[in-house]
Amino acid sequence: MIYLDNNATTQLDPAVRDAMLPFLTDRYGNPSSTHRFGQESRQAIEQARFQVAELLGCDAKEILFTSGGTESDNAALHGLLAMRAPRKTLIVSSVEHSAIREPVQALAKQGHRIIEIPVDLHGRFGLDAFKLALQNTDVALASIMWANNETGTLFDIRTLGELCRKHNVPFHVDAVQAAGKIPLDLRDLPLDLLSISAHKFHGPKGTGALYIRRGTRWQPWQRGGPQEHDRRGGTENVPALVGMGQAAELAHLDLQKDSAQIQSLRDRFENQIHSLIPDTHINGDLENRLPNTSNIAFAGLEAEAILLLLSEQTLCASAGAACSSGSLEPSHVLRAMHLPDRLAHGAVRFSLSRFTTPADIDAALAIIPPIIARLRTTLPV
Ligand code: PLP
């Protein structure tokens, strides 16, 4: 298999699995138990918290463990809103993941006002629209993603955060696609909350974290027992948290080296595709992009057909967000970029990881051109 769908999910690092195993077998104590067996699990969780904090460049006390990116995003929005009444306006970008889009749309139905900041043809953020939106006195929060899951486009979080600070607006950042791929030094950044998810950086699925800057006015979203210092009820998923901690440590350790290597593979892949296949276009902001993501439009084709033939040759990629695969409509991200139909319909996302090898790229380069040539002769849109 040639796996080029790492923005959907990543392979569990074998070292992460090894770290998790004892907690799936012998070390099953409840971290809330006061006996030593339970307290060993507690220590393992606190170690994981420290490892995640190191990756993010923040204090361990600022890390709240969650069940993943979706919960972190929901908890950020609802937890902030609860403290900002009566303000009812939320500022988001037009290219957020559904983990933000869906709760925001539900809030709109409940009477909240949503201001969507547009992007341009390259997916670049509409800074002027953001400045204008912040003039509003009713703004409860701004929630903007760091890296786009489909195109890899990066937004200038520092500038956006500084603007939010100026207007005293709490700022949440969805960094699910950024964590483990680019350096995030939160101590030095003007943002209040930030979401990450372990399965995007070789950790287990169903596990994530919400960074909550010390002093941020935020209300717990999931209530129950006193876990997570009364900030999220529910017995912790100890093996998964241990796995996320280990994954964070590994990502932190080799971030620069890994991302340089991934980017050089990605660039070789794109250059070759570009020279081997006519009428191909790279989508997104080529100046500010994740090192691992390549969103390529094969003009005039349907991405679904391309993916099907790629999958027959055991090459895994995706069209738009994984969850919108199966529908023929271009994703909301490509729509928001106002990509012409002949490009938007044929856009395929290839995403690499530190486990992607030069041989994977060579194999992909052997598979893709004949498939595109075949589709262009048989299936023009
Ligand atoms: N935010 C972004 C930008 C994502 O790419 C994803 C997942 O693809 C999520 C949030 C949701 O994360 P999770 O799958 O951990 O719920």
PDB file of all heavy atoms in Angstrom, residues 7-9 67-73 95-100 145-150 174-178 195-200 204-208 321-323 349, ligand 1:
ATOM      1  N   ASN A   7      -3.309  13.370   6.249  1.00  0.00           N
ATOM      2  CA  ASN A   7      -4.130  14.395   6.905  1.00  0.00           C
ATOM      3  C   ASN A   7      -5.451  13.793   7.391  1.00  0.00           C
ATOM      4  O   ASN A   7      -6.130  14.387   8.223  1.00  0.00           O
ATOM      5  CB  ASN A   7      -4.403  15.575   5.968  1.00  0.00           C
ATOM      6  CG  ASN A   7      -3.181  16.472   5.819  1.00  0.00           C
ATOM      7  OD1 ASN A   7      -2.098  16.103   6.262  1.00  0.00           O
ATOM      8  ND2 ASN A   7      -3.352  17.624   5.202  1.00  0.00           N
ATOM      9  N   ALA A   8      -5.803  12.626   6.842  1.00  0.00           N
ATOM     10  CA  ALA A   8      -6.997  11.929   7.344  1.00  0.00           C
ATOM     11  C   ALA A   8      -6.648  11.252   8.662  1.00  0.00           C
ATOM     12  O   ALA A   8      -7.333  11.428   9.670  1.00  0.00           O
ATOM     13  CB  ALA A   8      -7.484  10.901   6.332  1.00  0.00           C
ATOM     14  N   THR A   9      -5.593  10.474   8.638  1.00  0.00           N
ATOM     15  CA  THR A   9      -5.054   9.902   9.878  1.00  0.00           C
ATOM     16  C   THR A   9      -3.668   9.353   9.586  1.00  0.00           C
ATOM     17  O   THR A   9      -3.304   9.169   8.428  1.00  0.00           O
ATOM     18  CB  THR A   9      -5.969   8.805  10.458  1.00  0.00           C
ATOM     19  OG1 THR A   9      -5.620   8.586  11.844  1.00  0.00           O
ATOM     20  CG2 THR A   9      -5.849   7.495   9.710  1.00  0.00           C
ATOM     21  N   SER A  67     -11.344  13.864  23.971  1.00  0.00           N
ATOM     22  CA  SER A  67     -11.462  12.673  23.112  1.00  0.00           C
ATOM     23  C   SER A  67     -11.057  12.958  21.671  1.00  0.00           C
ATOM     24  O   SER A  67     -11.348  12.160  20.791  1.00  0.00           O
ATOM     25  CB  SER A  67     -12.898  12.156  23.138  1.00  0.00           C
ATOM     26  OG  SER A  67     -13.756  13.100  22.521  1.00  0.00           O
ATOM     27  N   GLY A  68     -10.422  14.109  21.407  1.00  0.00           N
ATOM     28  CA  GLY A  68      -9.945  14.359  20.047  1.00  0.00           C
ATOM     29  C   GLY A  68     -10.190  15.787  19.610  1.00  0.00           C
ATOM     30  O   GLY A  68     -10.668  16.638  20.378  1.00  0.00           O
ATOM     31  N   GLY A  69      -9.890  16.044  18.344  1.00  0.00           N
ATOM     32  CA  GLY A  69     -10.008  17.389  17.805  1.00  0.00           C
ATOM     33  C   GLY A  69     -11.439  17.913  17.857  1.00  0.00           C
ATOM     34  O   GLY A  69     -11.675  19.086  18.183  1.00  0.00           O
ATOM     35  N   THR A  70     -12.388  17.067  17.549  1.00  0.00           N
ATOM     36  CA  THR A  70     -13.784  17.509  17.503  1.00  0.00           C
ATOM     37  C   THR A  70     -14.257  17.949  18.887  1.00  0.00           C
ATOM     38  O   THR A  70     -14.879  19.007  19.046  1.00  0.00           O
ATOM     39  CB  THR A  70     -14.682  16.388  16.947  1.00  0.00           C
ATOM     40  OG1 THR A  70     -14.201  16.045  15.639  1.00  0.00           O
ATOM     41  CG2 THR A  70     -16.130  16.824  16.859  1.00  0.00           C
ATOM     42  N   GLU A  71     -13.930  17.139  19.895  1.00  0.00           N
ATOM     43  CA  GLU A  71     -14.347  17.556  21.242  1.00  0.00           C
ATOM     44  C   GLU A  71     -13.616  18.826  21.674  1.00  0.00           C
ATOM     45  O   GLU A  71     -14.220  19.737  22.264  1.00  0.00           O
ATOM     46  CB  GLU A  71     -14.095  16.447  22.275  1.00  0.00           C
ATOM     47  CG  GLU A  71     -14.614  16.866  23.649  1.00  0.00           C
ATOM     48  CD  GLU A  71     -14.187  15.950  24.790  1.00  0.00           C
ATOM     49  OE1 GLU A  71     -14.084  14.722  24.580  1.00  0.00           O
ATOM     50  OE2 GLU A  71     -13.958  16.482  25.893  1.00  0.00           O
ATOM     51  N   SER A  72     -12.336  18.914  21.363  1.00  0.00           N
ATOM     52  CA  SER A  72     -11.590  20.118  21.757  1.00  0.00           C
ATOM     53  C   SER A  72     -12.211  21.359  21.144  1.00  0.00           C
ATOM     54  O   SER A  72     -12.387  22.386  21.816  1.00  0.00           O
ATOM     55  CB  SER A  72     -10.121  20.009  21.326  1.00  0.00           C
ATOM     56  OG  SER A  72      -9.489  18.953  22.010  1.00  0.00           O
ATOM     57  N   ASP A  73     -12.564  21.263  19.863  1.00  0.00           N
ATOM     58  CA  ASP A  73     -13.169  22.414  19.179  1.00  0.00           C
ATOM     59  C   ASP A  73     -14.515  22.786  19.812  1.00  0.00           C
ATOM     60  O   ASP A  73     -14.790  23.962  20.077  1.00  0.00           O
ATOM     61  CB  ASP A  73     -13.372  22.107  17.689  1.00  0.00           C
ATOM     62  CG  ASP A  73     -12.068  22.194  16.895  1.00  0.00           C
ATOM     63  OD1 ASP A  73     -11.067  22.674  17.443  1.00  0.00           O
ATOM     64  OD2 ASP A  73     -12.065  21.779  15.720  1.00  0.00           O
ATOM     65  N   VAL A  95     -13.271  28.404   5.823  1.00  0.00           N
ATOM     66  CA  VAL A  95     -12.666  27.118   5.450  1.00  0.00           C
ATOM     67  C   VAL A  95     -12.409  26.227   6.670  1.00  0.00           C
ATOM     68  O   VAL A  95     -11.597  25.309   6.613  1.00  0.00           O
ATOM     69  CB  VAL A  95     -11.340  27.332   4.670  1.00  0.00           C
ATOM     70  CG1 VAL A  95     -11.625  27.972   3.317  1.00  0.00           C
ATOM     71  CG2 VAL A  95     -10.354  28.186   5.463  1.00  0.00           C
ATOM     72  N   GLU A  96     -13.112  26.493   7.771  1.00  0.00           N
ATOM     73  CA  GLU A  96     -12.906  25.681   8.982  1.00  0.00           C
ATOM     74  C   GLU A  96     -13.349  24.236   8.741  1.00  0.00           C
ATOM     75  O   GLU A  96     -14.198  23.954   7.893  1.00  0.00           O
ATOM     76  CB  GLU A  96     -13.713  26.259  10.148  1.00  0.00           C
ATOM     77  CG  GLU A  96     -13.285  27.645  10.593  1.00  0.00           C
ATOM     78  CD  GLU A  96     -11.853  27.700  11.110  1.00  0.00           C
ATOM     79  OE1 GLU A  96     -11.463  26.833  11.910  1.00  0.00           O
ATOM     80  OE2 GLU A  96     -11.123  28.622  10.703  1.00  0.00           O
ATOM     81  N   HIS A  97     -12.803  23.345   9.539  1.00  0.00           N
ATOM     82  CA  HIS A  97     -13.224  21.930   9.528  1.00  0.00           C
ATOM     83  C   HIS A  97     -14.653  21.821  10.069  1.00  0.00           C
ATOM     84  O   HIS A  97     -15.094  22.701  10.812  1.00  0.00           O
ATOM     85  CB  HIS A  97     -12.257  21.148  10.415  1.00  0.00           C
ATOM     86  CG  HIS A  97     -12.436  19.667  10.355  1.00  0.00           C
ATOM     87  ND1 HIS A  97     -13.288  18.992  11.196  1.00  0.00           N
ATOM     88  CD2 HIS A  97     -11.888  18.721   9.547  1.00  0.00           C
ATOM     89  CE1 HIS A  97     -13.240  17.701  10.916  1.00  0.00           C
ATOM     90  NE2 HIS A  97     -12.399  17.506   9.921  1.00  0.00           N
ATOM     91  N   SER A  98     -15.316  20.728   9.745  1.00  0.00           N
ATOM     92  CA  SER A  98     -16.698  20.558  10.227  1.00  0.00           C
ATOM     93  C   SER A  98     -16.773  20.523  11.758  1.00  0.00           C
ATOM     94  O   SER A  98     -17.836  20.792  12.328  1.00  0.00           O
ATOM     95  CB  SER A  98     -17.335  19.302   9.629  1.00  0.00           C
ATOM     96  OG  SER A  98     -16.467  18.221   9.788  1.00  0.00           O
ATOM     97  N   ALA A  99     -15.661  20.228  12.430  1.00  0.00           N
ATOM     98  CA  ALA A  99     -15.658  20.235  13.900  1.00  0.00           C
ATOM     99  C   ALA A  99     -15.901  21.643  14.454  1.00  0.00           C
ATOM    100  O   ALA A  99     -16.282  21.808  15.613  1.00  0.00           O
ATOM    101  CB  ALA A  99     -14.337  19.682  14.430  1.00  0.00           C
ATOM    102  N   ILE A 100     -15.680  22.652  13.630  1.00  0.00           N
ATOM    103  CA  ILE A 100     -16.045  24.033  13.985  1.00  0.00           C
ATOM    104  C   ILE A 100     -17.326  24.433  13.239  1.00  0.00           C
ATOM    105  O   ILE A 100     -18.252  25.009  13.808  1.00  0.00           O
ATOM    106  CB  ILE A 100     -14.892  25.017  13.640  1.00  0.00           C
ATOM    107  CG1 ILE A 100     -13.698  24.808  14.577  1.00  0.00           C
ATOM    108  CG2 ILE A 100     -15.372  26.477  13.699  1.00  0.00           C
ATOM    109  CD1 ILE A 100     -13.896  25.239  16.027  1.00  0.00           C
ATOM    110  N   MET A 145      -8.621  28.405  12.112  1.00  0.00           N
ATOM    111  CA  MET A 145      -7.711  27.262  12.052  1.00  0.00           C
ATOM    112  C   MET A 145      -6.291  27.713  11.726  1.00  0.00           C
ATOM    113  O   MET A 145      -6.083  28.752  11.097  1.00  0.00           O
ATOM    114  CB  MET A 145      -8.194  26.231  11.038  1.00  0.00           C
ATOM    115  CG  MET A 145      -8.074  26.647   9.597  1.00  0.00           C
ATOM    116  SD  MET A 145      -9.130  25.691   8.451  1.00  0.00           S
ATOM    117  CE  MET A 145      -9.053  24.039   9.043  1.00  0.00           C
ATOM    118  N   TRP A 146      -5.317  26.929  12.180  1.00  0.00           N
ATOM    119  CA  TRP A 146      -3.920  27.274  11.890  1.00  0.00           C
ATOM    120  C   TRP A 146      -3.553  26.770  10.501  1.00  0.00           C
ATOM    121  O   TRP A 146      -3.051  27.524   9.661  1.00  0.00           O
ATOM    122  CB  TRP A 146      -2.995  26.645  12.945  1.00  0.00           C
ATOM    123  CG  TRP A 146      -1.632  27.241  12.987  1.00  0.00           C
ATOM    124  CD1 TRP A 146      -0.865  27.639  11.917  1.00  0.00           C
ATOM    125  CD2 TRP A 146      -0.856  27.533  14.150  1.00  0.00           C
ATOM    126  NE1 TRP A 146       0.338  28.141  12.348  1.00  0.00           N
ATOM    127  CE2 TRP A 146       0.364  28.089  13.709  1.00  0.00           C
ATOM    128  CE3 TRP A 146      -1.065  27.358  15.523  1.00  0.00           C
ATOM    129  CZ2 TRP A 146       1.369  28.475  14.599  1.00  0.00           C
ATOM    130  CZ3 TRP A 146      -0.059  27.737  16.402  1.00  0.00           C
ATOM    131  CH2 TRP A 146       1.145  28.296  15.951  1.00  0.00           C
ATOM    132  N   ALA A 147      -3.822  25.479  10.262  1.00  0.00           N
ATOM    133  CA  ALA A 147      -3.483  24.875   8.965  1.00  0.00           C
ATOM    134  C   ALA A 147      -4.732  24.223   8.394  1.00  0.00           C
ATOM    135  O   ALA A 147      -5.443  23.514   9.109  1.00  0.00           O
ATOM    136  CB  ALA A 147      -2.400  23.823   9.152  1.00  0.00           C
ATOM    137  N   ASN A 148      -4.963  24.470   7.116  1.00  0.00           N
ATOM    138  CA  ASN A 148      -6.151  23.884   6.505  1.00  0.00           C
ATOM    139  C   ASN A 148      -5.920  22.409   6.182  1.00  0.00           C
ATOM    140  O   ASN A 148      -4.888  22.042   5.607  1.00  0.00           O
ATOM    141  CB  ASN A 148      -6.534  24.659   5.237  1.00  0.00           C
ATOM    142  CG  ASN A 148      -7.856  24.178   4.699  1.00  0.00           C
ATOM    143  OD1 ASN A 148      -7.904  23.262   3.875  1.00  0.00           O
ATOM    144  ND2 ASN A 148      -8.939  24.748   5.198  1.00  0.00           N
ATOM    145  N   ASN A 149      -6.903  21.585   6.527  1.00  0.00           N
ATOM    146  CA  ASN A 149      -6.757  20.145   6.337  1.00  0.00           C
ATOM    147  C   ASN A 149      -6.748  19.733   4.869  1.00  0.00           C
ATOM    148  O   ASN A 149      -6.204  18.706   4.513  1.00  0.00           O
ATOM    149  CB  ASN A 149      -7.853  19.384   7.085  1.00  0.00           C
ATOM    150  CG  ASN A 149      -9.217  19.995   6.936  1.00  0.00           C
ATOM    151  OD1 ASN A 149      -9.412  21.165   7.252  1.00  0.00           O
ATOM    152  ND2 ASN A 149     -10.161  19.230   6.423  1.00  0.00           N
ATOM    153  N   GLU A 150      -7.332  20.526   3.997  1.00  0.00           N
ATOM    154  CA  GLU A 150      -7.410  20.128   2.584  1.00  0.00           C
ATOM    155  C   GLU A 150      -6.249  20.642   1.745  1.00  0.00           C
ATOM    156  O   GLU A 150      -5.727  19.920   0.903  1.00  0.00           O
ATOM    157  CB  GLU A 150      -8.724  20.616   1.980  1.00  0.00           C
ATOM    158  CG  GLU A 150      -9.912  19.925   2.602  1.00  0.00           C
ATOM    159  CD  GLU A 150     -11.186  20.186   1.847  1.00  0.00           C
ATOM    160  OE1 GLU A 150     -11.135  20.331   0.616  1.00  0.00           O
ATOM    161  OE2 GLU A 150     -12.235  20.243   2.503  1.00  0.00           O
ATOM    162  N   ASP A 174      -7.787  26.174  15.897  1.00  0.00           N
ATOM    163  CA  ASP A 174      -7.832  24.741  15.595  1.00  0.00           C
ATOM    164  C   ASP A 174      -6.492  24.389  14.948  1.00  0.00           C
ATOM    165  O   ASP A 174      -6.244  24.729  13.793  1.00  0.00           O
ATOM    166  CB  ASP A 174      -9.008  24.456  14.642  1.00  0.00           C
ATOM    167  CG  ASP A 174      -9.062  22.991  14.228  1.00  0.00           C
ATOM    168  OD1 ASP A 174      -8.040  22.295  14.368  1.00  0.00           O
ATOM    169  OD2 ASP A 174     -10.125  22.557  13.755  1.00  0.00           O
ATOM    170  N   ALA A 175      -5.643  23.734  15.745  1.00  0.00           N
ATOM    171  CA  ALA A 175      -4.301  23.399  15.257  1.00  0.00           C
ATOM    172  C   ALA A 175      -4.173  21.899  15.016  1.00  0.00           C
ATOM    173  O   ALA A 175      -3.067  21.345  15.059  1.00  0.00           O
ATOM    174  CB  ALA A 175      -3.247  23.872  16.253  1.00  0.00           C
ATOM    175  N   VAL A 176      -5.308  21.256  14.748  1.00  0.00           N
ATOM    176  CA  VAL A 176      -5.302  19.792  14.588  1.00  0.00           C
ATOM    177  C   VAL A 176      -4.349  19.364  13.470  1.00  0.00           C
ATOM    178  O   VAL A 176      -3.653  18.359  13.596  1.00  0.00           O
ATOM    179  CB  VAL A 176      -6.745  19.276  14.343  1.00  0.00           C
ATOM    180  CG1 VAL A 176      -6.743  17.838  13.868  1.00  0.00           C
ATOM    181  CG2 VAL A 176      -7.570  19.418  15.619  1.00  0.00           C
ATOM    182  N   GLN A 177      -4.292  20.136  12.386  1.00  0.00           N
ATOM    183  CA  GLN A 177      -3.402  19.746  11.284  1.00  0.00           C
ATOM    184  C   GLN A 177      -2.002  20.343  11.429  1.00  0.00           C
ATOM    185  O   GLN A 177      -1.091  19.959  10.699  1.00  0.00           O
ATOM    186  CB  GLN A 177      -4.002  20.167   9.938  1.00  0.00           C
ATOM    187  CG  GLN A 177      -5.251  19.395   9.549  1.00  0.00           C
ATOM    188  CD  GLN A 177      -4.991  17.933   9.229  1.00  0.00           C
ATOM    189  OE1 GLN A 177      -3.855  17.486   9.073  1.00  0.00           O
ATOM    190  NE2 GLN A 177      -6.061  17.157   9.150  1.00  0.00           N
ATOM    191  N   ALA A 178      -1.849  21.271  12.337  1.00  0.00           N
ATOM    192  CA  ALA A 178      -0.544  21.928  12.470  1.00  0.00           C
ATOM    193  C   ALA A 178       0.360  21.200  13.473  1.00  0.00           C
ATOM    194  O   ALA A 178       1.572  21.093  13.259  1.00  0.00           O
ATOM    195  CB  ALA A 178      -0.738  23.378  12.907  1.00  0.00           C
ATOM    196  N   SER A 195      -6.691  23.630  19.843  1.00  0.00           N
ATOM    197  CA  SER A 195      -7.088  22.207  19.779  1.00  0.00           C
ATOM    198  C   SER A 195      -6.055  21.383  19.026  1.00  0.00           C
ATOM    199  O   SER A 195      -5.560  21.817  17.982  1.00  0.00           O
ATOM    200  CB  SER A 195      -8.403  22.064  19.007  1.00  0.00           C
ATOM    201  OG  SER A 195      -9.417  22.835  19.583  1.00  0.00           O
ATOM    202  N   ILE A 196      -5.787  20.177  19.557  1.00  0.00           N
ATOM    203  CA  ILE A 196      -4.957  19.216  18.810  1.00  0.00           C
ATOM    204  C   ILE A 196      -5.568  17.816  18.914  1.00  0.00           C
ATOM    205  O   ILE A 196      -6.423  17.561  19.772  1.00  0.00           O
ATOM    206  CB  ILE A 196      -3.486  19.177  19.295  1.00  0.00           C
ATOM    207  CG1 ILE A 196      -3.398  18.646  20.732  1.00  0.00           C
ATOM    208  CG2 ILE A 196      -2.826  20.536  19.183  1.00  0.00           C
ATOM    209  CD1 ILE A 196      -1.969  18.276  21.155  1.00  0.00           C
ATOM    210  N   SER A 197      -5.112  16.930  18.041  1.00  0.00           N
ATOM    211  CA  SER A 197      -5.654  15.564  17.998  1.00  0.00           C
ATOM    212  C   SER A 197      -4.519  14.580  17.760  1.00  0.00           C
ATOM    213  O   SER A 197      -3.726  14.759  16.823  1.00  0.00           O
ATOM    214  CB  SER A 197      -6.668  15.487  16.859  1.00  0.00           C
ATOM    215  OG  SER A 197      -7.126  14.169  16.716  1.00  0.00           O
ATOM    216  N   ALA A 198      -4.438  13.524  18.591  1.00  0.00           N
ATOM    217  CA  ALA A 198      -3.261  12.632  18.577  1.00  0.00           C
ATOM    218  C   ALA A 198      -3.111  11.841  17.280  1.00  0.00           C
ATOM    219  O   ALA A 198      -1.992  11.581  16.836  1.00  0.00           O
ATOM    220  CB  ALA A 198      -3.345  11.665  19.759  1.00  0.00           C
ATOM    221  N   HIS A 199      -4.245  11.473  16.661  1.00  0.00           N
ATOM    222  CA  HIS A 199      -4.099  10.559  15.504  1.00  0.00           C
ATOM    223  C   HIS A 199      -3.559  11.254  14.260  1.00  0.00           C
ATOM    224  O   HIS A 199      -3.284  10.603  13.250  1.00  0.00           O
ATOM    225  CB  HIS A 199      -5.415   9.828  15.206  1.00  0.00           C
ATOM    226  CG  HIS A 199      -6.498  10.641  14.554  1.00  0.00           C
ATOM    227  ND1 HIS A 199      -6.849  10.453  13.236  1.00  0.00           N
ATOM    228  CD2 HIS A 199      -7.314  11.607  15.030  1.00  0.00           C
ATOM    229  CE1 HIS A 199      -7.848  11.286  12.931  1.00  0.00           C
ATOM    230  NE2 HIS A 199      -8.150  11.991  14.005  1.00  0.00           N
ATOM    231  N   LYS A 200      -3.387  12.581  14.340  1.00  0.00           N
ATOM    232  CA  LYS A 200      -2.784  13.285  13.199  1.00  0.00           C
ATOM    233  C   LYS A 200      -1.262  13.315  13.318  1.00  0.00           C
ATOM    234  O   LYS A 200      -0.580  13.736  12.393  1.00  0.00           O
ATOM    235  CB  LYS A 200      -3.314  14.722  13.107  1.00  0.00           C
ATOM    236  CG  LYS A 200      -4.830  14.840  13.087  1.00  0.00           C
ATOM    237  CD  LYS A 200      -5.480  14.298  11.841  1.00  0.00           C
ATOM    238  CE  LYS A 200      -6.980  14.616  11.861  1.00  0.00           C
ATOM    239  NZ  LYS A 200      -7.680  14.071  10.708  1.00  0.00           N
ATOM    240  N   PRO A 204      -2.764   7.598  18.941  1.00  0.00           N
ATOM    241  CA  PRO A 204      -4.021   6.853  18.773  1.00  0.00           C
ATOM    242  C   PRO A 204      -5.212   7.757  18.426  1.00  0.00           C
ATOM    243  O   PRO A 204      -5.203   8.953  18.715  1.00  0.00           O
ATOM    244  CB  PRO A 204      -4.223   6.222  20.152  1.00  0.00           C
ATOM    245  CG  PRO A 204      -3.499   7.121  21.089  1.00  0.00           C
ATOM    246  CD  PRO A 204      -2.349   7.724  20.345  1.00  0.00           C
ATOM    247  N   LYS A 205      -6.227   7.159  17.830  1.00  0.00           N
ATOM    248  CA  LYS A 205      -7.455   7.907  17.507  1.00  0.00           C
ATOM    249  C   LYS A 205      -8.289   8.132  18.766  1.00  0.00           C
ATOM    250  O   LYS A 205      -8.117   7.438  19.766  1.00  0.00           O
ATOM    251  CB  LYS A 205      -8.271   7.130  16.468  1.00  0.00           C
ATOM    252  CG  LYS A 205      -7.549   7.033  15.127  1.00  0.00           C
ATOM    253  CD  LYS A 205      -8.261   6.089  14.185  1.00  0.00           C
ATOM    254  CE  LYS A 205      -7.493   5.953  12.882  1.00  0.00           C
ATOM    255  NZ  LYS A 205      -6.076   5.564  13.022  1.00  0.00           N
ATOM    256  N   GLY A 206      -9.204   9.093  18.678  1.00  0.00           N
ATOM    257  CA  GLY A 206     -10.114   9.317  19.805  1.00  0.00           C
ATOM    258  C   GLY A 206      -9.431   9.937  21.017  1.00  0.00           C
ATOM    259  O   GLY A 206      -9.861   9.713  22.153  1.00  0.00           O
ATOM    260  N   THR A 207      -8.371  10.684  20.789  1.00  0.00           N
ATOM    261  CA  THR A 207      -7.647  11.329  21.896  1.00  0.00           C
ATOM    262  C   THR A 207      -7.096  12.680  21.431  1.00  0.00           C
ATOM    263  O   THR A 207      -6.549  12.759  20.334  1.00  0.00           O
ATOM    264  CB  THR A 207      -6.465  10.439  22.336  1.00  0.00           C
ATOM    265  OG1 THR A 207      -6.998   9.345  23.011  1.00  0.00           O
ATOM    266  CG2 THR A 207      -5.529  11.135  23.274  1.00  0.00           C
ATOM    267  N   GLY A 208      -7.268  13.671  22.251  1.00  0.00           N
ATOM    268  CA  GLY A 208      -6.751  14.984  21.868  1.00  0.00           C
ATOM    269  C   GLY A 208      -6.553  15.841  23.101  1.00  0.00           C
ATOM    270  O   GLY A 208      -6.624  15.366  24.242  1.00  0.00           O
ATOM    271  N   ALA A 321     -12.091  16.914   2.277  1.00  0.00           N
ATOM    272  CA  ALA A 321     -12.061  16.297   3.600  1.00  0.00           C
ATOM    273  C   ALA A 321     -12.507  14.851   3.466  1.00  0.00           C
ATOM    274  O   ALA A 321     -13.336  14.529   2.615  1.00  0.00           O
ATOM    275  CB  ALA A 321     -12.980  17.045   4.544  1.00  0.00           C
ATOM    276  N   ALA A 322     -11.925  13.974   4.309  1.00  0.00           N
ATOM    277  CA  ALA A 322     -12.265  12.556   4.233  1.00  0.00           C
ATOM    278  C   ALA A 322     -13.762  12.353   4.378  1.00  0.00           C
ATOM    279  O   ALA A 322     -14.352  11.539   3.684  1.00  0.00           O
ATOM    280  CB  ALA A 322     -11.518  11.787   5.302  1.00  0.00           C
ATOM    281  N   CYS A 323     -14.372  13.142   5.265  1.00  0.00           N
ATOM    282  CA  CYS A 323     -15.792  12.911   5.546  1.00  0.00           C
ATOM    283  C   CYS A 323     -16.681  13.327   4.376  1.00  0.00           C
ATOM    284  O   CYS A 323     -17.805  12.875   4.282  1.00  0.00           O
ATOM    285  CB  CYS A 323     -16.211  13.653   6.814  1.00  0.00           C
ATOM    286  SG  CYS A 323     -15.694  15.348   6.830  1.00  0.00           S
ATOM    287  N   ARG A 349      -6.199  15.354  -2.721  1.00  0.00           N
ATOM    288  CA  ARG A 349      -5.236  15.705  -1.665  1.00  0.00           C
ATOM    289  C   ARG A 349      -4.313  14.523  -1.403  1.00  0.00           C
ATOM    290  O   ARG A 349      -4.774  13.421  -1.117  1.00  0.00           O
ATOM    291  CB  ARG A 349      -5.980  16.054  -0.378  1.00  0.00           C
ATOM    292  CG  ARG A 349      -5.040  16.365   0.785  1.00  0.00           C
ATOM    293  CD  ARG A 349      -5.795  16.537   2.088  1.00  0.00           C
ATOM    294  NE  ARG A 349      -6.302  15.276   2.601  1.00  0.00           N
ATOM    295  CZ  ARG A 349      -7.100  15.170   3.658  1.00  0.00           C
ATOM    296  NH1 ARG A 349      -7.493  16.256   4.292  1.00  0.00           N
ATOM    297  NH2 ARG A 349      -7.509  13.991   4.075  1.00  0.00           N
TER     298      ARG A 349
HETATM  299  N1  PLP B   1      -9.968  20.057  12.892  1.00  0.00           N
HETATM  300  C1  PLP B   1      -9.262  19.789  11.777  1.00  0.00           C
HETATM  301  C2  PLP B   1      -8.588  20.919  11.051  1.00  0.00           C
HETATM  302  C3  PLP B   1      -9.170  18.483  11.292  1.00  0.00           C
HETATM  303  O1  PLP B   1      -8.467  18.230  10.187  1.00  0.00           O
HETATM  304  C4  PLP B   1      -9.837  17.447  12.006  1.00  0.00           C
HETATM  305  C5  PLP B   1      -9.799  16.053  11.504  1.00  0.00           C
HETATM  306  O2  PLP B   1      -9.586  15.813  10.334  1.00  0.00           O
HETATM  307  C6  PLP B   1     -10.546  17.773  13.178  1.00  0.00           C
HETATM  308  C7  PLP B   1     -10.598  19.096  13.583  1.00  0.00           C
HETATM  309  C8  PLP B   1     -11.254  16.727  13.976  1.00  0.00           C
HETATM  310  O3  PLP B   1     -10.334  15.961  14.719  1.00  0.00           O
HETATM  311  P1  PLP B   1     -10.739  14.511  15.272  1.00  0.00           P
HETATM  312  O4  PLP B   1     -10.701  13.583  14.093  1.00  0.00           O
HETATM  313  O5  PLP B   1      -9.676  14.185  16.261  1.00  0.00           O
HETATM  314  O6  PLP B   1     -12.065  14.631  15.902  1.00  0.00           O
END
